[in-house]
PDB file of all heavy atoms in Angstrom:
ATOM      1  N   ARG A 253      20.367  20.933   5.053  1.00  0.00           N
ATOM      2  CA  ARG A 253      21.408  20.875   6.069  1.00  0.00           C
ATOM      3  C   ARG A 253      21.097  19.706   7.002  1.00  0.00           C
ATOM      4  O   ARG A 253      19.926  19.316   7.148  1.00  0.00           O
ATOM      5  CB  ARG A 253      21.451  22.185   6.855  1.00  0.00           C
ATOM      6  CG  ARG A 253      21.847  23.387   6.012  1.00  0.00           C
ATOM      7  CD  ARG A 253      21.818  24.668   6.835  1.00  0.00           C
ATOM      8  NE  ARG A 253      22.143  25.815   5.994  1.00  0.00           N
ATOM      9  CZ  ARG A 253      23.382  26.219   5.711  1.00  0.00           C
ATOM     10  NH1 ARG A 253      24.419  25.555   6.225  1.00  0.00           N
ATOM     11  NH2 ARG A 253      23.605  27.255   4.938  1.00  0.00           N
ATOM     12  N   PRO A 254      22.112  19.125   7.657  1.00  0.00           N
ATOM     13  CA  PRO A 254      21.833  18.026   8.581  1.00  0.00           C
ATOM     14  C   PRO A 254      20.774  18.380   9.607  1.00  0.00           C
ATOM     15  O   PRO A 254      19.884  17.577   9.899  1.00  0.00           O
ATOM     16  CB  PRO A 254      23.199  17.760   9.229  1.00  0.00           C
ATOM     17  CG  PRO A 254      24.182  18.166   8.190  1.00  0.00           C
ATOM     18  CD  PRO A 254      23.570  19.368   7.506  1.00  0.00           C
ATOM     19  N   SER A 255      20.837  19.591  10.161  1.00  0.00           N
ATOM     20  CA  SER A 255      19.857  19.994  11.170  1.00  0.00           C
ATOM     21  C   SER A 255      18.453  20.049  10.592  1.00  0.00           C
ATOM     22  O   SER A 255      17.471  19.721  11.281  1.00  0.00           O
ATOM     23  CB  SER A 255      20.237  21.354  11.766  1.00  0.00           C
ATOM     24  OG  SER A 255      20.388  22.324  10.746  1.00  0.00           O
ATOM     25  N   THR A 256      18.326  20.455   9.323  1.00  0.00           N
ATOM     26  CA  THR A 256      17.016  20.511   8.674  1.00  0.00           C
ATOM     27  C   THR A 256      16.474  19.113   8.444  1.00  0.00           C
ATOM     28  O   THR A 256      15.292  18.826   8.703  1.00  0.00           O
ATOM     29  CB  THR A 256      17.095  21.270   7.342  1.00  0.00           C
ATOM     30  OG1 THR A 256      17.674  22.555   7.552  1.00  0.00           O
ATOM     31  CG2 THR A 256      15.712  21.430   6.728  1.00  0.00           C
ATOM     32  N   LEU A 257      17.322  18.216   7.957  1.00  0.00           N
ATOM     33  CA  LEU A 257      16.887  16.842   7.694  1.00  0.00           C
ATOM     34  C   LEU A 257      16.469  16.155   8.991  1.00  0.00           C
ATOM     35  O   LEU A 257      15.496  15.384   9.001  1.00  0.00           O
ATOM     36  CB  LEU A 257      17.997  16.052   7.000  1.00  0.00           C
ATOM     37  CG  LEU A 257      17.653  14.614   6.596  1.00  0.00           C
ATOM     38  CD1 LEU A 257      16.418  14.566   5.702  1.00  0.00           C
ATOM     39  CD2 LEU A 257      18.846  13.955   5.887  1.00  0.00           C
ATOM     40  N   ILE A 258      17.176  16.432  10.063  1.00  0.00           N
ATOM     41  CA  ILE A 258      16.787  15.875  11.370  1.00  0.00           C
ATOM     42  C   ILE A 258      15.363  16.312  11.727  1.00  0.00           C
ATOM     43  O   ILE A 258      14.545  15.508  12.163  1.00  0.00           O
ATOM     44  CB  ILE A 258      17.785  16.289  12.461  1.00  0.00           C
ATOM     45  CG1 ILE A 258      19.109  15.534  12.294  1.00  0.00           C
ATOM     46  CG2 ILE A 258      17.200  16.039  13.854  1.00  0.00           C
ATOM     47  CD1 ILE A 258      20.220  16.027  13.193  1.00  0.00           C
ATOM     48  N   GLN A 259      15.060  17.587  11.501  1.00  0.00           N
ATOM     49  CA  GLN A 259      13.729  18.097  11.806  1.00  0.00           C
ATOM     50  C   GLN A 259      12.672  17.451  10.914  1.00  0.00           C
ATOM     51  O   GLN A 259      11.569  17.110  11.371  1.00  0.00           O
ATOM     52  CB  GLN A 259      13.689  19.625  11.636  1.00  0.00           C
ATOM     53  CG  GLN A 259      14.564  20.395  12.601  1.00  0.00           C
ATOM     54  CD  GLN A 259      14.010  20.419  14.008  1.00  0.00           C
ATOM     55  OE1 GLN A 259      12.828  20.183  14.217  1.00  0.00           O
ATOM     56  NE2 GLN A 259      14.856  20.684  14.988  1.00  0.00           N
ATOM     57  N   VAL A 260      12.999  17.270   9.637  1.00  0.00           N
ATOM     58  CA  VAL A 260      12.058  16.655   8.699  1.00  0.00           C
ATOM     59  C   VAL A 260      11.733  15.224   9.135  1.00  0.00           C
ATOM     60  O   VAL A 260      10.559  14.831   9.221  1.00  0.00           O
ATOM     61  CB  VAL A 260      12.632  16.659   7.275  1.00  0.00           C
ATOM     62  CG1 VAL A 260      11.796  15.778   6.337  1.00  0.00           C
ATOM     63  CG2 VAL A 260      12.692  18.082   6.719  1.00  0.00           C
ATOM     64  N   VAL A 261      12.775  14.450   9.410  1.00  0.00           N
ATOM     65  CA  VAL A 261      12.577  13.058   9.824  1.00  0.00           C
ATOM     66  C   VAL A 261      11.801  13.000  11.135  1.00  0.00           C
ATOM     67  O   VAL A 261      10.877  12.196  11.298  1.00  0.00           O
ATOM     68  CB  VAL A 261      13.928  12.329   9.939  1.00  0.00           C
ATOM     69  CG1 VAL A 261      13.768  10.959  10.591  1.00  0.00           C
ATOM     70  CG2 VAL A 261      14.565  12.191   8.556  1.00  0.00           C
ATOM     71  N   ARG A 262      12.157  13.866  12.070  1.00  0.00           N
ATOM     72  CA  ARG A 262      11.464  13.898  13.356  1.00  0.00           C
ATOM     73  C   ARG A 262       9.982  14.201  13.172  1.00  0.00           C
ATOM     74  O   ARG A 262       9.121  13.570  13.797  1.00  0.00           O
ATOM     75  CB  ARG A 262      12.088  14.949  14.269  1.00  0.00           C
ATOM     76  CG  ARG A 262      11.647  14.853  15.724  1.00  0.00           C
ATOM     77  CD  ARG A 262      12.058  16.074  16.526  1.00  0.00           C
ATOM     78  NE  ARG A 262      11.208  17.224  16.202  1.00  0.00           N
ATOM     79  CZ  ARG A 262      11.302  18.399  16.826  1.00  0.00           C
ATOM     80  NH1 ARG A 262      12.222  18.594  17.756  1.00  0.00           N
ATOM     81  NH2 ARG A 262      10.500  19.395  16.492  1.00  0.00           N
ATOM     82  N   ASP A 263       9.664  15.154  12.303  1.00  0.00           N
ATOM     83  CA  ASP A 263       8.268  15.520  12.093  1.00  0.00           C
ATOM     84  C   ASP A 263       7.495  14.412  11.381  1.00  0.00           C
ATOM     85  O   ASP A 263       6.320  14.164  11.694  1.00  0.00           O
ATOM     86  CB  ASP A 263       8.170  16.822  11.294  1.00  0.00           C
ATOM     87  CG  ASP A 263       8.547  18.049  12.116  1.00  0.00           C
ATOM     88  OD1 ASP A 263       8.747  17.913  13.341  1.00  0.00           O
ATOM     89  OD2 ASP A 263       8.642  19.146  11.537  1.00  0.00           O
ATOM     90  N   TYR A 264       8.111  13.732  10.426  1.00  0.00           N
ATOM     91  CA  TYR A 264       7.471  12.592   9.772  1.00  0.00           C
ATOM     92  C   TYR A 264       7.084  11.544  10.818  1.00  0.00           C
ATOM     93  O   TYR A 264       5.940  11.089  10.870  1.00  0.00           O
ATOM     94  CB  TYR A 264       8.445  11.944   8.777  1.00  0.00           C
ATOM     95  CG  TYR A 264       8.376  12.431   7.349  1.00  0.00           C
ATOM     96  CD1 TYR A 264       8.462  13.787   7.043  1.00  0.00           C
ATOM     97  CD2 TYR A 264       8.264  11.530   6.292  1.00  0.00           C
ATOM     98  CE1 TYR A 264       8.439  14.226   5.737  1.00  0.00           C
ATOM     99  CE2 TYR A 264       8.233  11.970   4.978  1.00  0.00           C
ATOM    100  CZ  TYR A 264       8.324  13.314   4.698  1.00  0.00           C
ATOM    101  OH  TYR A 264       8.292  13.743   3.397  1.00  0.00           O
ATOM    102  N   ILE A 265       8.060  11.164  11.621  1.00  0.00           N
ATOM    103  CA  ILE A 265       7.836  10.083  12.590  1.00  0.00           C
ATOM    104  C   ILE A 265       6.835  10.508  13.654  1.00  0.00           C
ATOM    105  O   ILE A 265       5.977   9.717  14.073  1.00  0.00           O
ATOM    106  CB  ILE A 265       9.162   9.652  13.234  1.00  0.00           C
ATOM    107  CG1 ILE A 265      10.104   9.071  12.158  1.00  0.00           C
ATOM    108  CG2 ILE A 265       8.926   8.618  14.334  1.00  0.00           C
ATOM    109  CD1 ILE A 265      11.514   8.813  12.665  1.00  0.00           C
ATOM    110  N   THR A 266       6.906  11.760  14.092  1.00  0.00           N
ATOM    111  CA  THR A 266       5.980  12.241  15.115  1.00  0.00           C
ATOM    112  C   THR A 266       4.536  12.140  14.635  1.00  0.00           C
ATOM    113  O   THR A 266       3.658  11.620  15.342  1.00  0.00           O
ATOM    114  CB  THR A 266       6.307  13.689  15.510  1.00  0.00           C
ATOM    115  OG1 THR A 266       7.628  13.753  16.050  1.00  0.00           O
ATOM    116  CG2 THR A 266       5.321  14.217  16.546  1.00  0.00           C
ATOM    117  N   CYS A 267       4.266  12.605  13.425  1.00  0.00           N
ATOM    118  CA  CYS A 267       2.903  12.542  12.895  1.00  0.00           C
ATOM    119  C   CYS A 267       2.423  11.102  12.764  1.00  0.00           C
ATOM    120  O   CYS A 267       1.295  10.763  13.148  1.00  0.00           O
ATOM    121  CB  CYS A 267       2.836  13.223  11.530  1.00  0.00           C
ATOM    122  SG  CYS A 267       3.021  15.017  11.584  1.00  0.00           S
ATOM    123  N   LEU A 268       3.279  10.251  12.233  1.00  0.00           N
ATOM    124  CA  LEU A 268       2.884   8.860  12.003  1.00  0.00           C
ATOM    125  C   LEU A 268       2.759   8.084  13.311  1.00  0.00           C
ATOM    126  O   LEU A 268       1.906   7.199  13.436  1.00  0.00           O
ATOM    127  CB  LEU A 268       3.878   8.190  11.058  1.00  0.00           C
ATOM    128  CG  LEU A 268       3.853   8.717   9.617  1.00  0.00           C
ATOM    129  CD1 LEU A 268       5.060   8.215   8.836  1.00  0.00           C
ATOM    130  CD2 LEU A 268       2.551   8.319   8.913  1.00  0.00           C
ATOM    131  N   SER A 269       3.584   8.410  14.283  1.00  0.00           N
ATOM    132  CA  SER A 269       3.478   7.711  15.565  1.00  0.00           C
ATOM    133  C   SER A 269       2.201   8.109  16.300  1.00  0.00           C
ATOM    134  O   SER A 269       1.605   7.295  17.015  1.00  0.00           O
ATOM    135  CB  SER A 269       4.708   7.983  16.436  1.00  0.00           C
ATOM    136  OG  SER A 269       4.803   9.355  16.771  1.00  0.00           O
TER     137      SER A 269
END
Side-chain angles (χ1 to χ4, degrees):
R253 295 178 182 276
S255 55
T256 306
L257 183 56
I258 288 171
Q259 295 287 340
V260 169
V261 170
R262 193 192 75 176
D263 287 353
Y264 267 53
I265 297 171
T266 299
C267 290
L268 292 168
S269 63

